[in-house]
Amino acid sequence: MRNIFFIFILSCIVIFNCAGQTLENGSGSVPLVQCGDVTSRKHLNILSINLLFSEVETRNQRLDAIAEFAAKTPVDVILLQEVVDGALVHTTNSALDLQEKLRAQTHNYDLHTAFEVGLSGLLVVANAVLSRCEIDYEISKRLPHASELEFLGHDIKLRRNVMMTRINIPGSGKLNIYNTHLCTKCAAHELNAQLDVLLPFIDEIEGLFPQGNPVILGGDFNIDHFRIAPFEERPFYERIINAGFTDAYAQDRPLEDLCAEGGQPDIHCTVGVSTLDVGAAARRIDYIFVKKVKGVLESRVVFNTLVDPNQPTVSDHAGVFVSIALP
């Protein structure tokens, strides 16, 4: 997103370790999250959405809209980017705020937060995963620094992460879900360096588990299949595909038809389709990639208000929703 870390230009960058919030019963031992209906319907519904950290005043209403969508759909796993924490943004964790709204709307969700960069106590930015199925294990990996901001002639290097959350689906086993937010306005070699860490990290983790298990990789990749300036981005998209992943949204759609015209946003675009991003070039940079899944039953872009006025605005990004068949 544009000017993503403007608040950090006058501060030091502090990296935080991952943190999670798990709902437990009164004895403090058994999680209250339940997803038996996922087992019975034999598919898992996943939403990925960048929350837009800088839009503080409307955040509460935007989180309400996500919670309402999750209740009606329903959504089992939510991948979040640009979760925030700190006095400048008036919350201790915006993913925790969404967790509470989800509980009021529909179901309990387990929460895992992996902090990226920030100034302690003032503003911290993170990725997070909310899951209706119990989170069994979690780990995160820091990605290489990338220059995403220039101030007084100096490149400000920021560091992002990839997080893995292993969820337990009763009757279907355990499934690994990865969530990330790659650099924006960075150089080609910096984006390449982040993929050089992200993809081997997934391979390393997956090598520890049964090889037939499905793998989900979602998030804000800041990679557009068609953009060629200041460098061609298609090779980075293809690196992910060549690693064995399938673009779930593009599985039954011609790739060359998906958000092909930057000046003409369509139902496939994930930026340039929001009232918080009016006038920006329409692009598709948010993805859910899958590997070893039985099938993708449904996929759509949601919260794209400028294309579909019936959809609420929740960010300067639209969300990507997919439903995958379980083994």
Side-chain angles (χ1 to χ4, degrees), residues 37-217:
D37 57 316
V38 175
T39 304
S40 61
R41 58 176 144 89
K42 291 295 183 181
H43 63 265
L44 186 74
N45 296 331
I46 306 166
L47 170 70
S48 179
I49 181 70
N50 181 314
L51 291 179
L52 180 56
F53 86 99
S54 59
E55 190 73 16
V56 178
E57 296 303 318
T58 64
R59 187 180 62 235
N60 193 53
Q61 294 90 334
R62 294 186 291 114
L63 294 181
D64 281 334
I66 295 172
E68 290 171 7
F69 174 83
K72 293 175 182 177
T73 301
V75 177
D76 307 310
V77 177
I78 307 176
L79 311 182
L80 300 174
Q81 304 87 45
E82 294 196 27
V83 170
V84 289
D85 171 0
L88 291 177
V89 287
H90 313 303
T91 183
T92 56
N93 186 330
S94 57
L96 182 60
D97 297 337
L98 179 57
Q99 183 189 44
E100 293 172 351
K101 292 177 181 295
L102 290 162
R103 185 186 307 132
Q105 279 277 351
T106 175
H107 299 289
N108 289 324
Y109 284 72
D110 235 346
L111 170 60
H112 172 212
T113 306
F115 292 105
E116 291 188 309
V117 296
L119 185 61
S120 182
L122 290 179
L123 174 61
V124 182
V125 181
N127 295 319
V129 172
L130 285 154
S131 172
R132 288 190 52 234
C133 299
E134 178 187 357
I135 293 177
D136 180 70
Y137 177 77
E138 58 204 38
I139 188 172
S140 64
K141 176 80 171 181
R142 294 174 180 173
L143 301 178
H145 288 90
S147 300
E148 302 189 49
L149 184 67
E150 183 176 319
F151 180 66
L152 297 179
H154 298 281
D155 286 331
I156 308 298
K157 292 185 178 291
L158 305 174
R159 199 167 192 179
R160 299 182 182 272
N161 67 40
V162 53
M163 59 188 299
M164 186 277 274
T165 304
R166 186 165 174 82
I167 65 172
N168 185 14
I169 305 173
S172 293
K174 297 178 181 180
L175 184 151
N176 293 345
I177 299 177
Y178 297 82
N179 180 30
T180 196
H181 186 185
L182 300 186
C183 61
T184 181
K185 297 183 179 179
C186 54
H189 74 273
E190 293 174 311
L191 182 56
N192 206 45
Q194 292 192 341
L195 288 176
D196 282 343
V197 172
L198 184 149
L199 295 174
F201 170 72
I202 295 175
D203 286 343
E204 180 182 358
I205 296 298
E206 292 308 306
L208 302 175
F209 297 105
Q211 296 306 292
N213 279 7
V215 182
I216 312 298
L217 168 62

Side-chain angles (χ1 to χ4, degrees), residues 16-48:
F16 289 80
N17 292 322
C18 61
Q21 294 80 21
T22 299
L23 293 174
E24 298 180 335
N25 67 8
S27 66
S29 59
V30 181
L32 293 176
V33 291
Q34 301 290 335
C35 65
D37 57 316
V38 175
T39 304
S40 61
R41 58 176 144 89
K42 291 295 183 181
H43 63 265
L44 186 74
N45 296 331
I46 306 166
L47 170 70
S48 179

Side-chain angles (χ1 to χ4, degrees), residues 221-297:
F221 290 80
N222 281 305
I223 296 170
D224 176 60
H225 190 69
F226 296 101
R227 189 161 57 177
I228 59 174
F231 55 86
E232 185 180 4
E233 297 180 12
R234 183 172 186 147
F236 301 101
Y237 173 90
E238 291 178 345
R239 279 198 64 182
I240 300 172
I241 300 302
N242 291 336
F245 284 99
T246 297
D247 181 346
Y249 185 81
Q251 181 168 317
D252 296 318
R253 299 180 174 97
L255 184 61
E256 301 302 324
D257 293 343
L258 305 183
C259 195
E261 299 294 335
Q264 298 178 1
D266 58 35
I267 61 171
H268 312 297
C269 306
T270 64
V271 292
V273 291
S274 163
T275 59
L276 294 173
D277 201 23
V278 175
R283 295 181 291 124
R284 191 171 76 101
I285 63 174
D286 302 85
Y287 301 91
I288 296 178
F289 296 101
V290 298
K291 183 189 293 189
K292 302 174 185 174
V293 301
K294 189 175 181 180
V296 178
L297 305 180

